[in-house]
Amino acid sequence: MSNERITDANKLVSRYALWAAGGGLIPVPTLDIAAIVAVQIKMVSDLSKLYGVPFSQDRAKTVVSALIGGVLPGALAGGSLAVLGTVIKLIPIVGTAVGMAVSSGFAYALTQAVGKVFVLHYETGGSLLNFEPEKVRSHFEKEFKGAQAAPETPVAA
């Protein structure tokens, strides 16, 4: 494990988490989600380059969707408004403002968690082809909850 590479990976993850948070501020429902997903896929692409891992946009979309899809039911069951941030934006004026703030924080935490899981996977010699979302589900959920509680925590490897 290269400390310099981990530092560079942490910087990438933090930068893209902030970009994703910005995507959550887009007031148009569904356009915000498209922007956040695009940021996450670009982050995985850049992490893949950093680690010299072949990148496939289709595979990255599949893996990221599977990771995030696993968190949503738990967030909904917990009564999290963050999941409903995009829907809340449909309510004129107040709903738009609240939805933007909620979506932004949720996008930040999700992107941090996606990034941390990929850094760990790549640090242990993994690739996009052998990435199994179910095997990292509990780690992803832990990273997601941690990112919601304490933004910008460094990736531990």
Side-chain angles (χ1 to χ4, degrees):
M1 286 189 222
S2 162
N3 285 337
E4 185 177 331
R5 185 171 62 188
I6 292 172
T7 299
D8 290 345
N10 282 330
K11 288 177 183 176
L12 279 173
V13 170
S14 292
R15 183 174 68 230
Y16 281 107
L18 290 172
W19 278 104
L25 293 174
I26 295 172
V28 181
T30 67
L31 186 56
D32 59 344
I33 293 170
I36 293 163
V37 170
V39 167
Q40 292 171 343
I41 299 306
K42 177 67 173 136
M43 176 182 68
V44 172
S45 172
D46 284 357
L47 287 171
S48 297
K49 285 178 193 167
L50 179 66
Y51 283 91
V53 174
F55 177 77
S56 160
Q57 186 171 344
D58 290 337
R59 177 68 180 149
K61 284 180 184 177
T62 300
V63 169
V64 169
S65 295
L67 280 173
I68 293 171
V71 165
L72 295 181
L76 283 171
S80 173
L81 284 178
V83 178
L84 303 174
T86 295
V87 176
I88 292 170
K89 290 179 184 179
L90 294 171
I91 302 168
I93 304 169
V94 173
T96 300
V98 171
M100 286 168 46
V102 169
S103 292
S104 181
F106 193 67
Y108 178 89
L110 276 177
T111 305
Q112 276 282 339
V114 168
K116 288 181 180 187
V117 167
F118 268 94
V119 169
L120 182 60
H121 182 67
Y122 286 166
E123 278 292 327
T124 58
S127 72
L128 267 176
L129 292 177
N130 67 8
F131 191 101
E132 297 181 45
E134 285 304 316
K135 289 188 176 182
V136 297
R137 174 91 51 231
S138 64
H139 179 66
F140 178 76
E141 289 173 1
K142 180 182 135 209
E143 294 292 353
F144 175 65
K145 288 176 185 171
Q148 285 181 308
E152 299 220 0
T153 54
V155 174

